[in-house]
């Protein structure tokens, strides 16, 4: 499921699965892979700042080699601003998405975004980020989300509902049991 998520060519991809199936890792890795294109700009978001800091951002930095943002060769990590500049000129911003004003999001010019635990976020935030995918210097622009399965919400309606299926939207589902690295119990 992680491989399918990482290689999906749909503009919008949802990785829905049980706890521990690797949604956050896959989302962070996909963002890092898209940032290999020089000058790309991406956003990684989660509902609250503590959740962003303690889980999603932590996972990202476990996956991102320090040499990718080494200050001696042009990289930069500004923890107080949640801003990362990679040595190739790509930028990643980490944002909490609770009560964030439209004005803050509307000023963005993104090549990609990742919303972790998207079931906690309102559809309005997704739609605003969708409209921010306008980075002209990248060949493809992507929005992708990770979520726990939850029927009858905006994610279900947009990604799974048969009447709403669209080739620009791709749903990948996984189970906690798909992760062989989780403890048996």
């Amino acid at each position: 499921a992680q491989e399918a998520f990482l290689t999906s060519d749909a503009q919008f991809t949802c990785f829905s699965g049980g706890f521990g199936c690797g949604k956050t890792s896959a989302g962070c890795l996909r963002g890092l892979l898209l940032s290999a294109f020089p000058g790309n700009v991406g956003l990684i978001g989660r509902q609250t700042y503590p959740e962003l800091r303690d889980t999603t951002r932590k996972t990202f930095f476990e996956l991102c080699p320090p040499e990718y943002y080494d200050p001696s060769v042009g990289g930069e990590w500004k923890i107080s601003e949640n801003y990362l500049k990679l040595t190739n000129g790509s930028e990643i911003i980490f944002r909490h998405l609770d009560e964030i004003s439209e004005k803050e999001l509307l000023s963005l010019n993104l090549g990609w975004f990742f919303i972790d635990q998207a079931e906690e976020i309102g559809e309005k935030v997704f739609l605003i980020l969708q409209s921010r995918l306008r980075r002209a210097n990248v060949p493809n622009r992507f929005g992708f989300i990770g979520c726990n399965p939850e029927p009858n919400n905006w994610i279900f309606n947009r990604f799974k509902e048969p009447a709403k299926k669209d080739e620009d939207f791709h749903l990948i589902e996984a189970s906690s049991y798909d992760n062989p690295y989780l403890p048996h119990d």
Side-chain angles (χ1 to χ4, degrees):
Q2 287 179 331
E3 182 179 345
F5 178 75
L6 290 170
T7 59
S8 174
D9 60 359
Q11 186 171 20
F12 303 102
T13 306
C14 173
F15 189 179
S16 175
F19 302 121
C21 71
K23 302 177 300 283
T24 301
S25 294
C28 290
L29 183 56
R30 186 166 185 188
L32 190 57
L33 292 170
L34 290 169
S35 296
F37 190 89
N40 206 347
V41 176
L43 176 141
I44 295 176
R46 178 114 191 234
Q47 183 181 27
T48 68
Y49 176 72
E51 292 168 325
L52 176 68
R53 179 196 61 221
D54 297 344
T55 60
T56 312
R57 192 179 76 185
K58 182 179 178 187
T59 298
F60 177 86
F61 280 103
E62 289 170 355
L63 295 169
C64 182
E67 57 269 20
Y68 283 24
Y69 56 96
D70 184 345
S72 69
V73 285
E76 182 175 25
W77 168 231
K78 292 183 179 181
I79 193 168
S80 63
E81 297 177 27
N82 275 304
Y83 169 82
L84 178 67
K85 181 178 179 187
L86 301 177
T87 58
N88 70 355
S90 287
E91 301 172 43
I92 301 171
I93 55 175
F94 297 86
R95 292 292 181 264
H96 63 88
L97 300 172
D98 63 346
E99 300 177 19
I100 191 164
S101 75
E102 286 183 42
K103 291 179 183 177
E104 288 180 62
L105 291 174
L106 290 174
S107 64
L108 299 175
N109 183 6
L110 300 173
W112 61 270
F113 68 82
F114 169 50
I115 301 174
D116 196 18
Q117 297 304 135
E119 74 277 6
E120 300 171 349
I121 307 298
E123 185 176 20
K124 187 173 186 179
V125 170
F126 176 81
L127 294 173
I128 292 170
L129 287 172
Q130 186 178 24
S131 74
R132 301 296 84 202
L133 290 176
R134 56 190 182 140
R135 192 120 193 112
N137 68 320
V138 296
N140 297 298
R141 288 161 290 287
F142 295 101
F144 42 101
I145 65 175
C147 68
N148 293 316
E150 197 171 282
N152 302 318
N153 64 10
W154 70 268
I155 299 166
F156 179 85
N157 294 334
R158 188 166 291 279
F159 286 91
K160 189 164 184 159
E161 182 75 22
K164 305 271 185 182
K165 285 203 175 182
D166 182 323
E167 63 186 43
D168 289 337
F169 290 85
H170 183 196
L171 174 67
I172 296 159
E173 296 179 284
S175 164
S176 300
Y177 296 107
D178 293 341
N179 186 346
Y181 300 104
L182 289 177
H184 176 70
D185 59 349

